[in-house]
Amino acid sequence: VACCNIISLLVLLVNDKKKEIATLQAMGASKKSIILIFGSCGIIIGVLSSFLGILAAIFTLKNLSVLVNFLNFIQGKQVFNPSFFGDKLPNTFSVESLIFILIITPIISLLAGLIPAIKAAKLNPSKILRS
């Protein structure tokens, strides 16, 4: 889901920046540099999002009972049924999962960022600047 969001965000960015990309290409920017610009945007978005997600997960785990009580108050009933979820929600923190996320997220974000980056590099600057 996150990769699809990165792809759609960067596709919209490429569509909005067509004239700027064409100007860069007309001034001599190579296709590799255009790909590098938009590919790095994908990596940056993925890394920042994973750090924000990790911070949100740590906050949620540390304050799980407060958040569950708040949700119960808002709903007016018990949100997590003990017969289905048990008496206590799991609140363990896995360092292995954290390391996996920190390694895999930039790689997947790079792959997701390459699709719009290649699209940006294939733009024809003369057609764009004429229109």
Side-chain angles (χ1 to χ4, degrees):
V1 172
C3 289
C4 291
N5 287 335
I6 290 172
I7 290 171
S8 63
L9 177 73
L10 290 177
V11 166
L12 290 173
L13 183 66
V14 167
N15 287 336
D16 288 344
K17 301 292 181 185
K18 280 184 181 179
K19 289 184 181 179
E20 289 85 354
I21 295 168
T23 304
L24 286 173
Q25 288 177 335
M27 292 174 55
S30 66
K31 292 183 185 251
K32 287 182 182 179
S33 64
I34 301 294
I35 290 173
L36 183 65
I37 291 169
F38 288 98
S40 62
C41 284
I43 290 175
I44 291 169
I45 290 169
V47 170
L48 288 177
S49 300
S50 65
F51 280 122
L52 288 173
I54 289 168
L55 290 175
I58 291 170
F59 175 78
T60 302
L61 286 175
K62 295 215 181 262
N63 300 306
L64 189 60
S65 62
V66 174
L67 293 172
V68 169
N69 289 335
F70 180 69
L71 290 173
N72 290 340
F73 174 74
I74 289 175
Q75 293 286 325
K77 60 181 179 177
Q78 198 166 13
V79 177
F80 298 105
N81 189 346
S83 62
F84 185 73
F85 290 101
D87 292 332
K88 188 175 180 184
L89 292 174
N91 62 352
T92 57
F93 186 75
S94 172
V95 176
E96 293 85 12
S97 298
L98 177 68
I99 292 170
F100 178 77
I101 289 169
L102 289 176
I103 292 172
I104 295 298
T105 302
I107 295 169
I108 293 174
S109 300
L110 172 66
L111 294 174
L114 283 179
I115 295 168
I118 292 170
K119 180 184 176 194
K122 288 184 178 181
L123 294 176
N124 189 349
S126 60
K127 287 183 181 178
I128 294 171
L129 292 175
R130 279 188 203 139
S131 61

